[in-house]
Amino acid sequence: MITPAGVAVALLVLGHLVAGPVALDLVARVAPVERRGAYFGLLASTGGMAVLVLGVPLGALYDLAEQARPAAALPWAAVGALAAAAAVAMALLLRRGHLPTAGPALHPDHPDPDDPDPDHPDPRGSEIP
C-alpha cells in the first residue's frame, strides 16, 4: 500500500540524489581553493538548519493533509513555493554572473582552474584527490 509518508520519503530521496551532486559541484566551482572546506561545511550546516527550522511547521501542515479537504493542498503548496523561490534565486544568481555556467570538473584528469601551477603538486598536500 502506498502511503503519503512513503511518497514523501521517496521524493525526498530522489531530490537528494538529484540536487546533492549538483550542489557539491557548484560549491567546488565557486569556492576559492583555500576556503573550500568552509564552503562545504556551510552547505552541510544550512541543510541541517533547514530541516531543524522547517521540520515543525511543515509537520503541522502535513497534519492538514490527512483528510480530503481543500486545506490538504496547503503543505504541498508551501513546499512548492519554497522550491520555486529557490529556482528563482538560482536563475537570478546565474543571470547576474554570480555562479559559473560551465567549467572543468574537479577531477584528477582536469586540473583545478585556480591552481597557478597544475604540473607541480602543492607541497602542503592539499591536492584534490
Side-chain angles (χ1 to χ4, degrees), residues 8-125:
V9 169
L11 290 175
L12 179 66
V13 169
L14 182 63
H16 275 282
L17 289 172
V18 172
V22 174
L24 293 173
D25 181 62
L26 185 62
V27 168
R29 290 175 191 262
V30 172
V33 174
E34 64 277 359
R35 303 283 300 151
R36 272 196 194 129
Y39 279 60
F40 281 119
L42 180 63
L43 175 65
S45 297
T46 55
M49 289 300 296
V51 169
L52 180 67
V53 171
L54 295 175
V56 172
L58 285 177
L61 286 176
Y62 285 135
D63 287 342
L64 296 174
E66 288 182 5
Q67 298 174 353
R69 56 184 176 188
L74 193 55
W76 307 110
V79 172
L82 286 171
V88 168
M90 184 69 79
L92 289 173
L93 288 170
L94 284 168
R95 183 177 301 155
R96 294 179 181 165
H98 295 296
L99 298 176
T101 55
L106 292 174
H107 187 272
D109 297 334
H110 298 89
D112 187 345
D114 296 330
D115 190 357
D117 190 3
D119 296 327
H120 297 89
D122 187 349
R124 296 171 290 172

